[in-house]
Amino acid sequence: MVLLFEILLVITSLLMIGLVLLHKGRGGGLSDMFGGGVSSGLGGSSVAERNLDRITVGIGVVWAACVVGLGLLLKAGN
């Protein structure tokens, strides 16, 4: 069970790194390469950026749950 949490933690950590790098910063970001930089002139963020935000938050929640779960498993094992 611990091995499963460790593998899931590594996968979600790598996904988080990639997703954060895709976000648009002040001067643009890697999301511009994939069409995320095309937004309307009315303000707000594009659909791609909003979806990227939702995916990032979801992966972040899974990552946090893995950290807590792994901590509880390791504490219970000692």
Side-chain angles (χ1 to χ4, degrees):
M1 188 61 122
V2 173
L3 182 63
L4 176 70
F5 273 96
E6 288 175 346
I7 291 171
L8 192 58
L9 185 63
V10 169
I11 291 171
T12 54
S13 297
L14 293 174
L15 282 173
M16 283 294 291
I17 291 169
L19 289 170
V20 167
L21 287 175
L22 284 174
H23 278 279
K24 186 162 101 173
R26 292 183 193 158
L30 290 177
S31 61
D32 289 343
M33 289 185 347
F34 303 109
V38 180
S39 61
S40 66
L42 300 174
S45 60
S46 67
V47 174
E49 194 72 26
R50 283 190 305 240
N51 288 336
L52 186 60
D53 289 341
R54 291 180 186 137
I55 293 169
T56 305
V57 168
I59 296 295
V61 168
V62 173
W63 181 85
C66 284
V67 169
V68 171
L70 189 59
L72 290 173
L73 282 174
L74 291 176
K75 185 177 181 180
N78 290 334

